[in-house]
Amino acid sequence: MITAIRSDSLITERQRQVLIDIYESFRKENSAEDEQTSQNAHPRHGSDTDDEPPLPEEFLAALEPFAATSNNGIVTQETKEG
């Protein structure tokens, strides 16, 4: 996966690094969840509250040309006309 990201000539170096950082953070998060599950923990499903933390500032900065962020840190798609 990382090899494909690094070899993509259609994205900038900064975009490559952001994708790699996000990918590695997902893998790290899933690894931690696997460890927790293996210790007889039960993952949460269908939580009624939206308790996910906002995206880190460096990810928001990388998404800025493509998205608008609300006050609570949730990124939404932004369209540009013209």
Side-chain angles (χ1 to χ4, degrees), residues 67-82:
T69 306
S70 65
N71 292 351
N72 62 2
I74 296 174
V75 176
T76 58
Q77 184 175 1
E78 179 180 280
T79 58
K80 295 181 180 179
E81 295 181 19

Side-chain angles (χ1 to χ4, degrees), residues 41-67:
H42 300 286
R44 294 181 295 164
H45 294 287
S47 176
D48 290 338
T49 61
D50 185 14
D51 57 352
E52 290 190 24
L55 293 172
E57 288 298 320
E58 61 271 14
F59 293 159
L60 294 175
L63 294 171
E64 189 172 324
F66 309 104

Side-chain angles (χ1 to χ4, degrees), residues 1-13 15-17 19-21 23-24:
M1 176 76 165
I2 292 176
T3 303
I5 294 170
R6 287 190 176 137
S7 66
D8 191 333
S9 62
L10 298 176
I11 59 176
T12 68
E13 183 60 36
Q15 290 168 333
R16 282 186 205 103
Q17 190 57 53
L19 285 173
I20 291 169
D21 290 346
Y23 176 72
E24 289 176 347

